[in-house]
């Protein structure tokens, strides 16, 4: 897909739980085609310790407003600087990057979308896309506490939502792989994004049940274009760049010991 360097205008910057923000960005012209699971590389201005762009998953695309949403967790100098953006500010992004989720041949089937922490970000656009295409997804989201669960109301609008929290403050207590829905329902395909241990646990479950499963890796990416090679991951066909060959991979292609 063709890539664009766009100066977006910040429509709003909303503070969420888990030290996260939701940036809504309006493009000056019609947004290019963007697939669920793709990401952007964001230029952080006026931050002397942030030399490289920051990779961020695309949370949602609102075509009616020509907006792209980014769900950002403030964890370092760069993302904290993004948290200071105000409506009317400009944010330069390279978009769209990477390969998204494969939604072919899932219409009418039972599809499970699993997200953990800020890894829920790409699941919103994926779920909304599936619903628009005639497949209502099931969401299974996990967090440490209820205050760390993000965008619950938006997920509920696009499918059936189930929740786990490690402290039991909302939904079922434990990890996503402990949720009773996995024993009650039989799914045809699973999509996952979140911390690597969580993704490996879900992948292990999917493999044991012979369910097709795709994961969105969150390796560190410097360039987003496959030039710097800092994001490589080991696959059954050798090392591949997560930014260009991924970030989405079928678990059968990864050299994971699960």
């Amino acid at each position: 897909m063709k890539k664009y360097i766009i100066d977006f205008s910040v429509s709003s910057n909303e503070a969420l739980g888990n030290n996260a923000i939701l940036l809504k960005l309006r493009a000056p012209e019609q947004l290019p085609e963007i697939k669920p699971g793709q990401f952007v590389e964001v230029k952080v201005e006026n931050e002397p310790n942030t030399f490289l762009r920051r990779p961020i998953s695309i949370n949602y695309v609102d075509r009616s407003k020509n907006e792209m949403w980014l769900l950002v967790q403030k964890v370092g100098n760069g993302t904290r600087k993004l948290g200071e953006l105000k409506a009317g500010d400009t944010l330069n992004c390279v978009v769209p990057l990477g390969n998204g989720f494969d939604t072919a041949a899932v219409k009418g089937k039972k599809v499970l979308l699993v997200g953990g922490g800020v890894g829920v970000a790409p699941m919103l656009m994926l779920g909304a896309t599936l619903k628009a295409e005639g497949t209502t997804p099931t969401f299974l989201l996990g967090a440490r506490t209820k205050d760390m669960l993000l965008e619950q109301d938006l997920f509920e609008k696009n499918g059936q939502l189930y929740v786990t929290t490690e402290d039991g403050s909302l939904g079922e207590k434990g990890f996503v792989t402990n949720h009773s829905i996995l024993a009650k329902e039989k799914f045809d395909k699973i999509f996952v994004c979140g911390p690597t241990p969580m993704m490996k646990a879900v992948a292990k479950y999917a493999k044991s049940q012979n369910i097709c499963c795709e994961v969105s890796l969150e390796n560190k990416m410097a360039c987003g274009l496959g030039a710097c090679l800092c994001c490589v991951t080991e696959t059954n066909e050798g090392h591949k760049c997560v930014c260009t060959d991924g970030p989405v991979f079928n678990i059968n292609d990864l050299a994971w010991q699960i």
Side-chain angles (χ1 to χ4, degrees), residues 37-168:
Q38 291 186 302
F39 68 99
V40 301
E41 284 277 356
V42 173
K43 185 177 182 180
V44 182
E45 302 279 8
N46 303 316
E47 173 46 62
N49 295 316
T50 305
F51 302 103
L52 301 172
R53 289 178 179 265
R54 291 295 184 263
I56 300 174
S57 296
I58 297 170
N59 179 225
Y60 185 70
V61 171
D62 186 342
R63 292 284 175 186
S64 67
K65 297 182 179 179
N66 206 36
E67 285 184 346
M68 176 180 70
W69 298 5
L70 303 180
L71 186 61
V72 183
Q73 190 168 31
K74 296 183 291 182
V75 294
N77 291 332
T79 49
R80 281 194 291 268
K81 195 67 178 180
L82 295 178
E84 298 175 4
L85 291 171
K86 298 178 178 60
D89 288 345
T90 298
L91 187 63
N92 183 273
C93 302
V94 182
V95 60
L97 295 173
N99 294 306
F101 295 103
D102 183 6
T103 60
V106 299
K107 187 173 181 179
K109 294 185 177 181
K110 294 277 291 183
V111 182
L112 179 66
L113 280 56
V114 185
V118 78
V120 303
M123 294 301 157
L124 181 60
M125 183 178 176
L126 175 58
T129 300
L130 289 171
K131 186 176 181 181
E133 294 175 351
T135 300
T136 301
T138 298
F139 296 104
L140 177 55
L141 308 183
R144 292 179 183 174
T145 71
K146 65 178 182 180
D147 295 330
M148 292 183 174
L149 284 163
L150 305 173
E151 301 186 313
Q152 296 173 63
D153 57 332
L154 298 176
F155 283 105
E156 288 173 341
K157 291 179 180 178
N158 289 286
Q160 183 69 46
L161 175 62
Y162 296 91
V163 168
T164 66
T165 50
E166 292 180 28
D167 66 353

